Amino acid sequence: MTVHNAEIARQFNLLADLLEIEDANPFRVRAYRNAARIVEGMAHSVAEMVERGEDLSEIYGIGEDLARKIEELVKTGELSALQDEEKRVPVQLTELMRIDQLGPRRVKQLYRELGIKTLADLSRAAKAGKVQELEGFGEKTEAKILAGLEQLTSSGRRTKLSEATEIAESLADYLRGLEGISKVTVAGSYRRRKETVGDLDLLAVTEDGAQVMNRFVDYPEVEEVVSKGTTRSTVRLRTGLQVDLRLVPGRSYGAALCYFTGSKAHNVEIRTRAAQRGLKLNEYGLFKDNEYVAGRTEKSVYEQVGLAYIEPELRENTGEVEAAEAGQLPELVTMDDIRGDLHAHTNATDGHATLREMARAAADRGYEYLAITDHSKRVTMARGLDEKRLRKQLESIDALNDELRDITLLKGCEVDILEDGQLDLPDSVLEELDLTVCSVHYHRELSRKKQTERIIRAMDDPCFTILGHPTGRLINEREPYEVDMEALMEEAAERGCHMELNAQPSRFDLIDAHRRMARDMGVKVAICTDAHSTDNLDYMRFGVEQARRGWLTADDIINTRRLPALRKLLRRA
DNA sequence: GCCGTTTTCGGCCCGACTGTTTTCAGTCG
């Protein structure tokens, strides 16, 4: 049995919750949460590191004690510190903390004084008016708790980046249209381009806070005003998404942008650096003895603490601060670097547009090439192509390439990787293609070992070019299948195979933790939209953003190459 | 519980808003 990084993180976070309710040293709590975040973000399996006898305490943020606890968890599947804590504090109480307005202190008080353990207990007590009688609580708090209970059961899940983008852009446009406001930016995890966002943090410059806040809460999509002040307000939109608007004067804009972009761990790191230099950093600026030093731009803030500017996508405290100090930040890939798309479908299978429409749409986006990669026959739901139909499509592509001057269509296929690792079409036809995107669609349930062997076997086929959506996860819907990604990377590097970073907003796969791994292991990445319509080609933007989160440069991405150079990379040695 | 140009003890980021408070605790980001 393998204990996954996510499981280690879950248990540490749970322990942190329980310790908080117990009123433990807040810095100790932070250490657990910090460790959970570190482990979750690691590309390598911590369990395997333990098996190899590596010293986990060498990881920054994990000391002797936590290293021992991880070891215990990996070897026994259990964490005795957590079990001890569960004897002292009912574990259900951590559920209560998910409710807005309820933190560790109030949860503890509810438990001690009213015996409330579960959401159901809480609902009953609040409806009976028992909660407002407690010291420190009141009528309004009780009402908010009831509203929070309602909210928790109705939504609860994080919003996908693509959905958040539509909502955020309309709202930002609305605010930009208001009088007396300038520079509206959506900060937070949205600006870091995390795959999902919990809420939206908007930041704007204004001299007339009261007026702007009045208009903000008037935004037609606002369902509820959670709080309202002259510098900060919070609303909940009809979609359930919570939005914070923070107003600052112009000279504080950069400092506030740093602060509200986060991540929290990154901020702590930057503020600590500031403190070491005798400076104080808050959302209003960088100060020396209460004297304003910098803050109008983010760049000025980073400069004053001795760092190069750090792109928002990197601000996760996973080494970017050290890299900025050493002048070794990567030059991240941009949309301008992208010269084509290598994974797209047509109406020959489950796409909506014709070959010609897809070609036209790609040319309109300034691309040099577009690979047509319809499904292979095993994917019957999509009416996958057999050998005969694929050959027919290849003829159409030849004809279209003869006709079109401004774009080249590449011949491809999204080939299903069968259960035994064979490719779904014979090499005799695959050899005629420029590339294949080989993907797992069925038998996701195989063991980690078998799944890994299956995919490596597929890579043995000389016609295998790119591994499509390498983990098969769907955000908020489906977990990744079990696979040893490190082994896959190693084999891919050896064979000259590439990894897809699928830009579909539900996929973003390679997932976050594996992108830097690809780079570190010398595997090139193809950012592909997996477009099923002409509009879908615009997902490229999201794919590039996700690549940036993985520290990837133009050189790490194959579809930044001109066509001749790309062709060389597509050919297996 | 972690960490070290404050170096094995004693720090650990900082401020806004709300509600129940007579001066502040709790929560959130």
Side-chain angles (χ1 to χ4, degrees):
Chain A
M1 182 206 58
T2 317
V3 179
H4 294 103
N5 290 4
E7 176 59 17
I8 298 170
R10 190 190 68 81
Q11 298 214 25
F12 277 177
N13 274 323
L14 187 57
L15 182 50
D17 283 348
L18 294 173
L19 286 170
E20 238 182 344
I21 294 170
E22 269 222 309
D23 204 13
N25 177 349
F27 298 105
R28 186 171 163 225
V29 174
R30 183 204 276 178
Y32 279 107
R33 292 206 198 284
N34 197 28
R37 188 186 54 79
I38 292 166
V39 169
E40 195 157 39
M42 279 175 55
H44 299 275
S45 157
V46 172
E48 282 171 19
M49 292 171 73
V50 170
E51 276 160 32
R52 284 197 296 268
E54 290 178 37
D55 183 6
L56 297 177
S57 70
E58 280 178 17
I59 300 166
Y60 186 84
I62 294 180
E64 296 289 332
D65 181 85
L66 286 175
R68 253 199 319 274
K69 289 195 165 90
I70 292 172
E71 229 173 279
E72 181 200 354
L73 191 45
V74 166
K75 288 184 174 157
T76 69
E78 285 169 356
L79 188 59
S80 51
L82 177 59
Q83 291 171 338
D84 292 347
E85 203 58 38
E86 284 176 4
K87 281 177 204 152
R88 285 196 285 273
V89 184
V91 70
Q92 304 104 300
L93 292 184
T94 58
E95 273 293 294
L96 300 183
M97 288 213 289
R98 287 171 52 211
I99 294 168
D100 226 23
Q101 303 301 317
L102 283 191
R105 315 300 280 258
R106 285 178 179 157
V107 165
K108 186 178 179 183
Q109 194 183 355
L110 287 166
Y111 173 55
R112 286 268 167 83
E113 297 179 25
L114 294 177
I116 291 171
K117 278 201 244 180
T118 65
L119 294 173
D121 293 344
L122 179 62
S123 178
R124 266 193 302 276
K127 279 176 186 155
K130 295 244 194 290
V131 172
Q132 58 172 296
E133 292 166 9
L134 297 180
E135 183 162 0
F137 287 74
E139 225 174 296
K140 287 194 173 177
T141 305
E142 187 177 75
K144 280 195 170 182
I145 288 171
L146 279 168
L149 275 164
E150 185 73 21
Q151 181 69 24
L152 191 64
T153 44
S154 67
S155 69
R157 126 192 309 191
R158 290 173 66 89
T159 306
K160 278 191 279 194
L161 183 60
S162 54
E163 293 164 16
T165 299
E166 284 182 26
I167 296 167
E169 284 177 356
S170 321
L171 178 53
D173 282 345
Y174 169 82
L175 291 174
R176 285 189 191 102
L178 299 182
E179 211 162 302
I181 202 167
S182 60
K183 289 197 186 170
V184 178
T185 307
V186 188
S189 54
Y190 178 89
R191 184 158 178 252
R192 302 199 311 278
R193 307 313 280 163
K194 254 191 105 171
E195 61 199 31
T196 61
V197 301
D199 60 12
L200 293 177
D201 301 292
L202 277 80
L203 185 68
V205 172
T206 185
E207 305 302 332
D208 184 6
Q211 172 66 11
V212 168
M213 283 308 188
N214 284 335
R215 301 299 305 277
F216 172 57
V217 301
D218 277 348
Y219 184 61
E221 292 299 309
V222 170
E223 169 107 359
E224 182 201 348
V225 179
V226 180
S227 73
K228 183 166 166 240
T230 53
T231 64
R232 176 177 204 154
S233 297
T234 302
V235 300
R236 187 162 0 255
L237 303 181
R238 280 185 227 279
T239 58
L241 194 63
Q242 187 164 301
V243 183
D244 287 359
L245 175 61
R246 183 70 194 233
L247 303 176
V248 293
R251 73 163 197 171
S252 301
Y253 182 69
L257 205 46
C258 280
Y259 181 61
F260 289 104
T261 298
S263 64
K264 199 169 182 170
H266 176 87
N267 286 349
V268 169
E269 190 72 21
I270 299 297
R271 287 195 175 185
T272 304
R273 277 186 75 87
Q276 283 164 357
R277 285 169 169 67
L279 299 164
K280 192 179 76 166
L281 178 62
N282 59 28
E283 56 263 55
Y284 296 108
L286 195 61
F287 300 87
K288 180 155 197 139
D289 306 326
N290 290 327
E291 191 126 335
Y292 176 90
V293 178
R296 191 167 284 278
T297 66
E298 286 188 306
K299 194 159 174 287
S300 68
V301 173
Y302 283 111
E303 233 168 55
Q304 289 295 327
V305 296
L307 298 174
Y309 174 76
I310 300 173
E311 297 284 357
E313 292 96 328
L314 299 183
R315 300 183 196 171
E316 300 289 350
N317 198 26
T318 52
E320 74 280 6
V321 176
E322 291 84 341
E325 181 167 33
Q328 285 172 349
L329 286 169
E331 192 170 321
L332 301 178
V333 61
T334 69
M335 259 314 272
D336 286 342
D337 293 320
I338 300 296
R339 296 185 188 275
D341 198 333
L342 299 178
H343 185 170
H345 297 270
T346 73
N347 61 1
T349 60
D350 60 349
H352 303 301
T354 63
L355 204 55
R356 182 183 294 273
E357 286 163 347
M358 290 301 285
R360 193 67 263 142
D364 288 346
R365 283 159 179 76
Y367 286 162
E368 200 176 321
Y369 46 82
L370 171 71
I372 299 300
T373 55
D374 269 314
H375 285 288
S376 62
K377 62 182 192 290
R378 172 68 182 84
V379 186
T380 47
M381 267 173 56
R383 296 183 302 116
L385 305 178
D386 59 18
E387 198 172 336
K388 195 173 155 203
R389 285 174 63 214
L390 178 55
R391 282 222 158 78
K392 198 169 156 234
Q393 185 180 58
L394 299 185
E395 282 172 24
S396 310
I397 290 176
D398 279 334
L400 210 50
N401 273 337
D402 285 342
E403 179 191 328
L404 299 174
R405 291 276 72 93
D406 51 353
I407 185 131
T408 301
L409 291 180
L410 296 175
K411 297 172 185 169
C413 181
E414 180 174 6
V415 188
D416 188 62
I417 299 174
L418 303 177
E419 187 179 0
D420 61 0
Q422 301 246 38
L423 298 185
D424 186 29
L425 289 170
D427 281 0
S428 55
V429 63
L430 296 183
E431 277 163 1
E432 294 174 34
L433 305 177
D434 295 304
L435 76 156
T436 59
V437 175
C438 301
S439 314
V440 166
H441 295 104
Y442 305 100
H443 295 291
R444 303 168 30 83
E445 75 290 349
L446 295 186
S447 71
R448 180 178 160 95
K449 182 161 176 288
K450 282 198 169 153
Q451 195 71 273
T452 306
E453 286 168 357
R454 168 194 193 181
I455 295 172
I456 290 173
R457 172 135 191 245
M459 284 185 195
D460 283 338
D461 191 307
C463 292
F464 185 115
T465 323
I466 298 167
L467 178 61
H469 40 75
T471 77
R473 68 96 177 255
L474 293 176
I475 294 169
N476 282 350
E477 284 174 51
R478 197 166 78 188
E479 291 296 309
Y481 46 71
E482 301 278 343
V483 73
D484 182 348
M485 191 56 67
E486 205 169 342
L488 293 186
M489 293 275 183
E490 211 171 285
E491 302 291 336
E494 201 167 291
R495 291 164 173 76
C497 299
H498 313 298
M499 291 283 170
E500 177 177 68
L501 198 178
N502 191 297
Q504 289 272 343
S506 296
R507 291 193 181 270
F508 291 164
D509 182 12
L510 293 174
I511 63 174
D512 224 342
H514 294 148
R515 297 169 198 156
R516 274 170 90 174
M517 184 194 245
R519 183 185 175 188
D520 292 345
M521 296 187 68
V523 176
K524 298 273 187 233
V525 172
I527 307 177
C528 306
T529 66
D530 197 354
H532 284 68
S533 69
T534 54
D535 285 348
N536 282 175
L537 291 170
D538 293 325
Y539 289 152
M540 185 59 77
R541 162 191 169 188
F542 292 113
V544 168
E545 292 165 351
Q546 295 307 306
R548 291 165 63 85
R549 283 181 59 78
W551 294 51
L552 302 184
T553 67
D555 186 58
D556 300 318
I557 311 296
I558 63 173
N559 48 317
T560 58
R561 305 294 198 278
R562 306 299 301 259
L563 191 50
L566 175 73
R567 283 191 192 279
K568 274 188 202 158
L569 282 172
L570 295 178
R571 225 172 289 132
R572 291 269 296 267

